[in-house]
Amino acid sequence: GYYVYVQKPYGRSSSRMEHIQWLPEAEETLYRSRLRKCALELVPFGIKPLLRRAAAYEALERYSLAYVDYKTALQVDCSVQAAHDGVNRMTKALLEKDGVNWRQKLPPIPTVPVSAQTRWSVPSAQAPGASTPPATAPQGERARMLKEEGNEFVKKGNHKKAVEKYSESLKLNKECATYTNRALCYLTLKQYKEAAQDCTEALKLDPKNVKALYRRAQALKELKDYKSSIADIKSLLKTEPKNTAALRLLQELNRA
């Protein structure tokens, strides 16, 4: 009968992924049932269960759910390369499936409690010798609150005050999103060197971060470093080839 290409997640006693197999329709139905059970048995925000479930969703072509799990895993630990690769694959698949507005169709991405985040448990390969200590739960929670306060100031148009809040947050917890948020403020304030620097720091944490690449390209354009700006846009387009803002900026750079 009908067959589907599925990658099984390994079970409790297995130490590796099982080989990809062709499964008949009846077994696929059973596998879907196991998938739902897996969701219920997840260790709250555990990296391995999230990656296993994401791989299962991906194999079943439920790309939006796989994307959410990969993104959630990155909230827990942004150094997990498998999650970065998964996000990039799902971005391409969803772009092809749903077009440029694919993000609007995503289910909500859960917010991971600071206590579950382990971003600094492993030194970043992009920052050898980094000695930033792990943020304690109180520090992490304070960092999150400061970032949220910064976000509120951005909504009100008070970018200087937002920069202050983001800077305080980064002293407690160096997070990719906080760097890209502060970079946006610096761009608005026409502090282009600072914006580019923040994006560079964000890219050390997430080398393919779309916002960081786009905002650094914007900053470099204003600094008249057109070659580097174009390089950033081309890197971004490898991940999101139909990103309209990036394509528009590339046209402007080619005319510069």
Side-chain angles (χ1 to χ4, degrees), residues 9-255:
Y10 52 96
R12 291 192 184 95
S13 61
S14 177
S15 60
R16 61 183 178 82
M17 294 294 290
E18 294 179 11
H19 293 298
I20 296 174
Q21 301 176 12
W22 288 97
L23 299 179
E25 185 174 18
E27 192 169 348
E28 185 205 356
T29 303
L30 175 61
Y31 184 48
R32 289 179 185 274
S33 175
R34 286 177 58 196
L35 186 62
R36 289 192 292 270
K37 183 179 179 182
C38 174
L40 294 173
E41 293 179 349
L42 273 176
V43 176
F45 302 112
I47 286 288
K48 287 185 178 180
L50 280 167
L51 292 177
R52 292 169 190 168
R53 189 171 68 173
Y57 281 141
E58 183 176 351
L60 293 170
E61 298 185 3
R62 297 166 71 178
Y63 299 132
S64 60
L65 294 174
Y67 180 89
V68 167
D69 276 353
Y70 284 129
K71 289 291 283 187
T72 303
L74 286 175
Q75 287 186 67
V76 179
D77 186 348
C78 69
S79 68
V80 179
Q81 189 58 46
H84 284 297
D85 293 342
V87 166
N88 291 332
R89 287 196 306 275
M90 294 308 93
T91 297
K92 291 178 181 177
L94 288 166
L95 191 60
E96 291 176 5
K97 179 174 176 284
D98 297 326
V100 293
N101 296 321
W102 63 270
R103 292 182 187 274
Q104 298 175 11
K105 301 179 182 180
L106 287 175
I109 299 175
T111 300
V112 176
V114 174
S115 58
Q117 297 176 11
T118 58
R119 284 185 176 85
W120 299 103
S121 60
V122 180
S124 170
Q126 279 73 34
S131 57
T132 307
T136 63
Q139 282 182 324
E141 183 62 23
R142 176 63 179 155
R144 185 189 66 78
M145 291 175 63
L146 287 164
K147 183 177 77 171
E148 302 249 336
E149 290 174 21
N151 293 345
E152 289 302 315
F153 279 119
V154 169
K155 291 176 185 177
K156 295 175 183 177
N158 191 340
H159 294 90
K160 287 186 178 179
K161 196 68 178 178
V163 165
E164 292 177 14
K165 294 297 180 181
Y166 291 141
S167 299
E168 289 180 53
S169 178
L170 286 166
K171 289 177 183 177
L172 298 172
N173 186 24
K174 298 188 185 301
E175 183 181 85
C176 183
T178 313
Y179 276 120
T180 56
N181 288 356
R182 191 171 69 173
L184 176 62
C185 294
Y186 281 140
L187 284 169
T188 304
L189 296 169
K190 298 185 179 181
Q191 295 178 238
Y192 301 120
K193 288 184 180 179
E194 290 84 352
Q197 184 177 349
D198 270 3
C199 291
T200 298
E201 292 301 317
L203 289 165
K204 289 178 182 178
L205 299 172
D206 180 2
K208 296 182 180 180
N209 186 278
V210 168
K211 287 182 180 179
L213 286 167
Y214 181 71
R215 289 172 186 171
R216 188 169 70 175
Q218 288 180 299
L220 292 170
K221 174 177 176 281
E222 297 299 329
L223 293 169
K224 301 191 185 303
D225 186 351
Y226 301 126
K227 183 178 179 181
S228 297
S229 182
I230 289 172
D232 276 348
I233 289 297
K234 287 183 176 179
S235 294
L236 186 162
L237 290 171
K238 288 178 182 178
T239 301
E240 293 190 9
K242 296 182 181 180
N243 187 304
T244 53
L247 290 169
R248 186 163 53 248
L249 180 56
L250 183 60
Q251 289 180 344
E252 293 174 9
L253 288 164
N254 286 331
R255 291 196 297 266

